[in-house]
């Protein structure tokens, strides 16, 4: 098997209201919120919650045109993407493209945590949006 994806780094969850979602995940379920930020260039507000080696990323769309708002319009709130760590994101993207995987990002870009990220198209990955994040 080719060495491409490492462990799951986080699970993204689309929410309609970040504060309400934090009440559920932090105050009731007891996860710790370790970082929160607004990314106007991506039209989202995010909160990262820690749970062992994996994190939960709560994502609220800003405005009607936000991809997360559109996702919720189509599917309702819920699991939005899985993020896997990779050691060399450019190599993995090139290999996946060569294998016929449809890429949303042809080249990596800075993600919510400042690391290089890229998304794979869910049509190529059994309906699941997959994010790659360079270690
Ligand atoms: Zn993510």
């Amino acid at each position: 098997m080719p060495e491409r994806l490492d462990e799951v780094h986080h699970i993204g969850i689309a929410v309609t209201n970040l504060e309400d979602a934090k009440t559920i995940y932090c105050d009731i379920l007891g996860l710790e919120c370790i970082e929160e930020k607004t990314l106007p260039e991506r039209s989202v507000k995010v909160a990262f919650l820690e749970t062992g080696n994996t994190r939960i990323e709560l994502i609220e769309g800003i405005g009607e045109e936000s991809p997360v708002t559109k996702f919720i319009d189509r599917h309702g709130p819920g699991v939005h993407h899985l993020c896997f760590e990779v050691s060399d994101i450019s190599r993995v993207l090139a290999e996946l493209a060569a294998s016929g995987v449809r890429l949303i990002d042809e080249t990596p870009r800075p993600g919510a945590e400042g690391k290089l990220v890229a998304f794979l198209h869910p049509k190529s990955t059994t309906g699941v949006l997959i994010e790659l994040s360079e270690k």
Side-chain angles (χ1 to χ4, degrees):
M1 250 181 11
E3 272 186 39
R4 290 181 180 148
L5 308 185
D6 294 325
E7 53 191 81
V8 173
H9 179 264
H10 65 263
I11 299 163
I13 298 178
V15 303
T16 49
N17 182 293
L18 196 58
E19 289 310 309
D20 291 349
K22 278 172 53 193
T23 298
I24 295 163
Y25 282 89
C26 302
D27 299 347
I28 298 172
L29 294 175
L31 299 181
E32 187 185 355
C33 180
I34 53 171
E35 195 179 8
E36 194 170 339
K37 57 172 82 166
T38 301
L39 302 165
E41 70 282 4
R42 286 173 56 202
S43 306
V44 292
K45 288 196 286 189
V46 301
F48 281 98
L49 316 179
E50 194 145 65
T51 163
N53 291 331
T54 305
R55 295 173 178 186
I56 303 289
E57 177 186 30
L58 301 176
I59 321 159
E60 178 190 329
I62 303 172
E64 296 297 305
E65 293 307 306
S66 167
V68 174
T69 305
K70 289 179 177 173
F71 175 92
I72 290 175
D73 288 346
R74 280 198 303 273
H75 306 284
V79 173
H80 177 261
H81 66 272
L82 294 181
C83 177
F84 291 91
E85 285 189 322
V86 297
S87 47
D88 181 347
I89 195 167
S90 297
R91 174 182 65 80
V92 171
L93 282 177
E95 289 176 2
L96 293 176
S99 302
V101 174
R102 202 164 135 195
L103 309 179
I104 292 176
D105 299 296
E106 305 272 330
T107 51
R109 58 187 171 84
E113 291 182 296
K115 298 175 179 176
L116 285 177
V117 303
F119 284 88
L120 311 182
H121 200 286
K123 285 218 161 88
S124 287
T125 49
T126 67
V128 179
L129 179 62
I130 291 182
E131 177 182 15
L132 305 178
S133 174
E134 192 164 76
K135 282 185 192 172

